[in-house]
Amino acid sequence: MRFWIGNGINKNKQMVEHLQRYGVISSMKVAEVMETIDRALFVPDGASAYVDSPMAIGYNATISAPHMHATCLQLLEQNLQPGMHALDVGSGTGYLTACFAIMVGPQGRAVGVEHIPELVASSIKNIEKSAAAPLLKEGSLSVHAGDGRQGWPECAPYDAIHVGAAAPEIPQALLDQLKPGGRMVIPVGNMFQDLKVVDKNMEGSISIRSETSVRYVPLTSRDAQLRGY
Ligand code: SAH
């Protein structure tokens, strides 16, 4: 799916307005954070940043399309309130990790985990140019190299977990690191994938629903990814 092709759309704010007009963004908070974090700082140099399309970022990875970023931010909004903890698995360019950090604020914690060290390094450079730079400096935002299927236990439990790559099944470690009352948004499947919304209820039980069908790169080992899956 693609809502527009971006002819003449060269401004981040206009991209956000498009997403509002098409009904993808209904939340003011999500509109605000997407206006605050300029997508152009996160796409490869020269790429058309504001087109509603995923884009290759090297290492067989992609930055998700703006409407997918918006959808995930909206699904997680209640779990990204000031002071909350958020985990971004497969953080890639760092775009969503930066959005999470702005939303949870300096009293909160936003953690990215990405298994390609080069992408970790470039995502940190991207974030340093963005409005989230002070949060990175102060330490409420961090990005780490590692296998995101293991989560990031150090800052657990999380109010919000986002997974940016499709898992054959939901990793147990991520379920374990979700706080009671917490929510995880994760694409699940192989060829055909559903974006699942996983809620951990206050007494610890799990409920899962499918939001929409999606196509993400796989959540896999670094070797498999670099081999081209
Ligand atoms: N949300 C990111 C999506 C990047 S694509 C963005 O919009 O920029 C998915 C990312 O998941 C890739 O960067 C890929 O390297 C990473 N990935 C895949 N399997 C992983 C794993 N097991 N652990 C950590 N990162 C992984």
Side-chain angles (χ1 to χ4, degrees):
M1 182 169 66
R2 170 187 275 183
F3 282 108
W4 69 87
I5 58 164
N7 288 337
I9 298 174
N10 52 14
K11 296 221 176 67
N12 194 61
K13 191 170 165 53
Q14 280 175 297
M15 177 192 81
V16 175
E17 285 166 1
H18 270 82
L19 290 166
Q20 290 176 298
R21 201 168 311 139
Y22 288 111
V24 181
I25 299 180
S26 54
S27 146
M28 277 311 297
K29 277 251 161 62
V30 169
E32 259 172 49
V33 74
M34 290 184 72
E35 280 178 28
T36 303
I37 299 296
D38 186 353
R39 187 177 169 86
L41 302 172
F42 294 81
V43 302
D45 286 344
S48 27
Y50 308 115
V51 179
D52 192 29
S53 169
M55 225 168 267
I57 56 171
Y59 311 96
N60 294 319
T62 56
I63 179 171
S64 301
H67 78 265
M68 280 315 306
H69 282 152
T71 298
C72 291
L73 285 167
Q74 289 223 153
L75 288 169
L76 289 168
E77 180 181 4
Q78 299 311 316
N79 296 75
L80 292 169
Q81 292 177 46
M84 289 184 164
H85 284 207
L87 174 66
D88 187 17
V89 172
S91 49
T93 61
Y95 175 85
L96 271 182
T97 324
C99 291
F100 292 169
I102 297 277
M103 289 175 83
V104 300
Q107 309 305 326
R109 197 74 177 75
V111 179
V113 181
E114 165 57 55
H115 67 172
I116 306 287
E118 290 88 345
L119 287 177
V120 174
S122 59
S123 70
I124 288 172
K125 287 205 180 104
N126 298 339
I127 293 165
E128 280 169 345
K129 289 183 230 150
S130 80
L135 300 166
L136 181 69
K137 205 164 169 221
E138 290 157 18
S140 67
L141 161 54
S142 57
V143 185
H144 308 272
D147 187 341
R149 294 173 291 190
Q150 302 307 315
W152 195 258
E154 247 173 80
C155 303
Y158 297 98
D159 300 278
I161 298 179
H162 169 264
V163 183
E169 54 197 42
I170 302 172
Q172 186 60 42
L174 299 183
L175 285 172
D176 293 343
Q177 290 172 34
L178 198 58
K179 195 183 275 184
R183 172 174 279 193
M184 167 159 49
V185 171
I186 176 170
V188 179
N190 297 299
M191 277 279 281
F192 299 97
Q193 306 161 6
D194 279 325
L195 190 67
K196 302 275 188 192
V197 178
V198 180
D199 287 306
K200 187 179 270 189
N201 306 311
M202 290 316 285
E203 73 297 352
S205 63
I206 298 285
S207 56
I208 305 179
R209 67 175 172 84
S210 292
E211 174 70 15
T212 178
S213 48
V214 289
R215 210 173 68 195
Y216 280 72
V217 302
L219 185 73
T220 182
S221 70
R222 188 169 50 213
D223 284 352
Q225 182 172 328
L226 294 176
R227 244 187 274 125
Y229 308 112

